[in-house]
Amino acid sequence: MMAVKFNLRAAGSGDAEFVFRLSNDVLVRRNSANSKEIRWEDHVKWFSRMLESPDCIFFIVESDGVPIGQVRFNRRERGWECSGSLLPAWRGKGLSARFLRAALIRSGLPEVVGMSKVSNRIAIKPLLDNGYEFVRNETLNGEEYEVYRYLDCVFTIAEMSANHRGDFGRAKELVAAAAASGADAVKLQTYTADTMTLDCKTGPFLISGGTLWDGMTLHELYGRASTPWEWTAELKAYAESLGIELFSTPFDKTAVDFLEGVKVPRYKIASFEAVDIPLIRYTAAKGKPMLISVGVSSPEEMQEAVDACFAEGNFDVTLLKCTSAYPAKTEKMHLATIRDMVERFGSQGVRIGLSDHSLGPEVPVAAVALGARVIEKHLTLDRPEGDAESSFALTPNEFGAMVKAAKGVLPAVGDVSYAADPTGRRGRRSLFVAEDMKMGEVFTERNVRSVRPGDGCDPKFLPEILGKRARCDLAKGTPMKVDYLD
């Protein structure tokens, strides 16, 4: 069965009738807090308020340009609450978890609450599939509900690459360093020189162009840099004993088959393999989360890679913005692309991340602020002069600082809000009575002034206050109000 393609867009005034029809569906009403049928005149007022409210994020789910569902986030006392529904013909196709994931990505909300009637067990699965965790039971209007919470997070990956230098003991040290730094996972690369390239010394196979490996053949480079496959199982067990994941990048089908035997929890496709659609489909068919670097892919090629995963029924896809240079210069990172990728692919439920080859921790922090939720960066134990592979990797202390900064910036991103902190509002200027005044006395620039703090009325009202008379006695230091005008 072909995977259903869908897209999210912001709800508009023309969607009122569709949402009305969907909201009055028998099953939707039965599972709502208020099960009564909705009247059109009430719906129109409500729908208009939702579109205009800063406390509502409203998406329409479309397939081939036709509305098939809706998903909404409303800000309430408990926080942002999510709700969503599909037309009857589109239920039971595995879409709910997918469009909820897309809505979470597009909304950028750091924390979301989901509620479901205990009697509606089918509605809970999409929450669990998107990382919601059970919080508590609640009773509302005589019905039992389960309350779940979603927390946005950053997943950090330490890339070992060839920094083990052919030493298994050093590879274990890198795994330990990744765990100690706070990384969520450590990643290997699974290939041999023969699965990567041909043993040729002709022009196309000679490395040049100002890279760290100029003068070598591709076969020589990959032979020197490869990780022995027999290390994988033991390194994975060691990583798990330290509380982090270990997974790998396969470069051909034999590597995928091998890694399946090791039972890795996810797969990464490298930038130069992101156009190898048969490899992507073969890997995605294993049903594990897919991360795909797209450092040398056009938007159209990125979409082809996503579609390849979807065609295999694998919808857990992350595209990693990447600058495929080693090291990558900061000015070549073009991180604004991340925002565009969130817009292009987030509506399909695709997460966006960063595979970073720059030298410092600043780029990952900026990437998270722009919407990246996966950060991959190379890790080395040291950085000796002349060692090409480790020259663009972070040492354990640097990597730990990067993880702390990348994860720490996420709470600061928050959601869209122009509201000032109440403490800050008190500190701003406002109008105060500056001298004792008697009833009937005229307000002048001497007896009413704009000063700190912010307990009085806004300074913009001063022109209409000046020249008016006081309707009562006022003491110096009284916060000014227009009510004091006669």
Side-chain angles (χ1 to χ4, degrees), residues 410-433:
L410 190 55
V413 174
D415 58 315
V416 176
S417 174
Y418 293 98
D421 184 271
T423 303
R425 289 185 67 88
R426 274 218 71 230
R428 69 181 189 174
R429 282 185 175 253
S430 68
L431 298 181
F432 273 79
V433 177

Side-chain angles (χ1 to χ4, degrees), residues 13 16-17 19-20 38-53 56 58 72 74:
S13 57
E17 192 279 331
V19 175
F20 175 70
I38 301 169
R39 299 188 308 165
W40 171 250
E41 53 268 33
D42 295 332
H43 170 78
V44 170
K45 294 176 183 177
W46 169 86
F47 190 74
S48 178
R49 287 200 311 272
M50 292 300 101
L51 294 185
E52 296 173 1
S53 173
C56 179
F58 207 149
R72 195 174 71 251
N74 289 96

Side-chain angles (χ1 to χ4, degrees), residues 136-267:
R136 61 184 176 273
N137 286 96
E138 281 190 13
T139 302
L140 181 64
N141 297 331
E143 287 268 12
E144 285 295 316
Y145 285 79
E146 289 184 353
V147 180
Y148 291 81
R149 184 177 66 163
Y150 164 86
L151 288 176
D152 200 4
C153 62
V154 177
F155 189 80
T156 54
I157 304 164
E159 167 63 75
M160 184 183 298
S161 191
N163 288 319
H164 52 70
R165 299 175 194 163
D167 182 341
F168 180 71
R170 184 179 176 88
K172 288 190 70 173
E173 288 184 66
L174 282 163
V175 172
S181 73
D184 298 293
V186 62
K187 190 182 78 66
L188 310 179
Q189 297 180 11
T190 304
Y191 63 85
T192 67
D194 290 328
T195 63
M196 286 288 275
T197 189
L198 302 179
D199 189 3
C200 291
K201 294 181 172 59
T202 56
F205 298 91
L206 289 173
I207 302 173
S208 61
T211 75
L212 297 168
W213 305 282
D214 281 10
M216 298 178 67
T217 68
L218 290 174
H219 197 273
E220 289 170 341
L221 171 63
Y222 298 133
R224 188 181 75 174
S226 62
T227 300
W229 292 21
E230 60 268 22
W231 291 2
T232 307
E234 188 171 344
L235 289 177
K236 178 175 179 288
Y238 182 56
E240 290 170 351
S241 75
L242 298 176
I244 64 172
E245 287 186 13
L246 183 142
F247 66 103
S248 188
T249 297
F251 290 84
D252 77 329
K253 291 181 178 180
T254 66
V256 176
D257 293 341
F258 170 77
L259 293 168
E260 276 296 284
V262 180
K263 295 182 172 56
V264 294
R266 66 187 73 229
Y267 286 104

Side-chain angles (χ1 to χ4, degrees), residues 157-163 174 187 189 268 326 355-358 376-380 383 389-390 392-396 398-399 402:
I157 304 164
E159 167 63 75
M160 184 183 298
S161 191
N163 288 319
L174 282 163
K187 190 182 78 66
Q189 297 180 11
K268 157 80 184 293
Y326 309 89
S355 179
D356 181 32
H357 306 131
S358 66
E376 178 192 51
K377 204 160 175 72
H378 286 243
L379 174 67
T380 185
R383 201 182 293 119
E389 192 72 29
S390 64
F392 53 88
L394 299 183
T395 63
E398 293 168 338
F399 198 95
M402 184 275 294

